[in-house]
């Protein structure tokens, strides 16, 4: 709950006790929504974009897509199997959603010839359906209400769909609107800033603000990653998809190590033993 009459924050966290049922199942397996959450999110989206491009050109596209699908399946199964938040498994699953989602979105456009605007409308409708069913079933879309397997299923369905939607939106601005990578990235950063202002002015509630920003961090990270990776004739810096992917991988390792070390602190262990978990406020 908010304190002193201030609104709930999508980036400030607290520890709240679980219900007895949730304690028994141990299924609240999402990280705190802090600045480090958003840093990791943007880096995984950027790495997913460049890694997908690298693999598709280094391997046969069908083989690359198959490898991405296998990797996604492995990490999602692991995420669903563990009984607590494990940073490397959670962020590995998010990264593989980004890698496979980029491959799938590109295949829809290149192979099937579906325009990006149609993809945006289709994925938006799909995400609306996921949110509607989740809210109708549980009465909330807060990520820290994920304390049952059913809610975890809704959560990952929403994550998958937001990545697909974000990919389509990024491609639409970069290609269909002809804005390119850098200008697209600046646009998404500006829109995220407006959303943050709307939240602070109490024009937008915490949960809608979270999911709105969550969607847009996908094209934000991908746009800047593409800008650094593609050659100059395509409007980029020409660092290469392999180099950018490795650099982002290093950054992700640092952030995940931070999450892991923080969760091993004595106060965090004491909090966990008392049945408390990080929760979105």
């Amino acid at each position: 709950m908010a304190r002193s009459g201030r609104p709930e924050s999508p980036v400030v966290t607290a520890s709240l006790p679980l219900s007895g049922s949730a304690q028994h199942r141990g299924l609240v397996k999402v990280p705190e929504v802090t600045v480090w959450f958003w840093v990791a999110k943007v880096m995984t989206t950027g790495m997913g974009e460049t890694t997908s491009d690298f693999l598709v050109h280094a391997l046969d596209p069908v083989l690359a897509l198959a490898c991405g699908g296998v990797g996604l399946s492995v990490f999602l199964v692991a995420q669903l199997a563990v009984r607590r938040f494990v940073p490397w498994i959670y962020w590995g699953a998010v990264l593989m959603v980004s890698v496979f989602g980029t491959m799938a979105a590109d295949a829809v456009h290149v192979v099937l010839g579906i325009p990006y605007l149609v993809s945006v409308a289709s994925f938006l409708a799909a995400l609306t359906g996921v949110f509607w069913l989740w809210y109708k079933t549980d009465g909330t879309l807060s990520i820290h209400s994920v304390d049952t397997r059913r809610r975890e299923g809704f959560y990952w369905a929403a994550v998958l769909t937001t990545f697909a939607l974000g990919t389509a939106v990024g491609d639409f601005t970069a290609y269909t609107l002809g804005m390119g990578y850098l200008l697209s990235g600046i646009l998404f950063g500006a829109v995220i800033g407006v959303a943050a202002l709307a939240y602070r002015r109490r024009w937008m509630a915490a949960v809608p603000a979270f999911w709105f920003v969550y969607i847009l961090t996908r094209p934000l990270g991908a746009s800047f990653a593409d800008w650094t990776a593609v050659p100059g004739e395509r409007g980029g810096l020409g660092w290469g998809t392999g180099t950018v992917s490795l650099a982002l991988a290093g950054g992700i390792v640092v952030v995940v190590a931070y999450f892991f070390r923080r969760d091993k602190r004595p106060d965090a262990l004491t909090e966990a033993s008392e049945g408390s978990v990080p929760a979105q406020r």
Side-chain angles (χ1 to χ4, degrees), residues 208-228:
F210 169 83
W211 284 112
F212 183 76
V213 173
Y214 195 91
I215 293 169
L216 290 185
T217 49
R218 162 58 186 163
L220 174 71
S223 295
F224 282 114
D226 276 333
W227 174 62
T228 58

Side-chain angles (χ1 to χ4, degrees), residues 40 43-44 47 88 91 246-260:
M43 287 195 297
T44 54
M47 183 180 173
W88 71 270
W91 288 110
L246 289 175
L248 289 171
I252 293 169
V253 168
V254 171
V255 175
V256 170
Y258 163 78
F259 279 119
F260 183 81

Side-chain angles (χ1 to χ4, degrees), residues 185-272:
I186 294 173
L187 171 65
F188 294 123
V191 174
I192 289 173
V194 171
L197 177 63
Y199 165 75
R200 292 195 174 277
R201 291 294 182 91
R202 304 186 185 185
W203 299 335
M204 184 180 294
V207 172
F210 169 83
W211 284 112
F212 183 76
V213 173
Y214 195 91
I215 293 169
L216 290 185
T217 49
R218 162 58 186 163
L220 174 71
S223 295
F224 282 114
D226 276 333
W227 174 62
T228 58
V230 301
E233 56 267 26
R234 294 177 56 192
L237 298 181
W239 294 353
T241 54
T243 301
V244 174
S245 295
L246 289 175
L248 289 171
I252 293 169
V253 168
V254 171
V255 175
V256 170
Y258 163 78
F259 279 119
F260 183 81
R261 181 177 180 181
R262 184 196 60 191
D263 290 346
K264 290 297 184 181
R265 292 180 308 179
D267 56 338
L269 293 174
T270 300
E271 184 178 85

Side-chain angles (χ1 to χ4, degrees), residues 20 27 52 63 76 83 90 118 120 122 127 139-140 142 147 157 171-172 182 188 217 233 238 244 254:
L27 287 176
S52 171
L63 178 60
L76 280 182
R83 298 185 62 81
Y90 175 88
V118 175
V120 170
S122 300
L127 181 60
T140 180
S142 172
D147 54 8
D171 290 338
F172 176 74
L182 178 58
F188 294 123
T217 49
E233 56 267 26
V244 174
V254 171

Side-chain angles (χ1 to χ4, degrees), residues 36-53:
W36 293 109
F37 173 92
W38 295 114
V39 169
K41 172 63 163 56
V42 171
M43 287 195 297
T44 54
T45 60
M47 183 180 173
E49 180 75 15
T50 54
T51 300
S52 171
D53 291 343

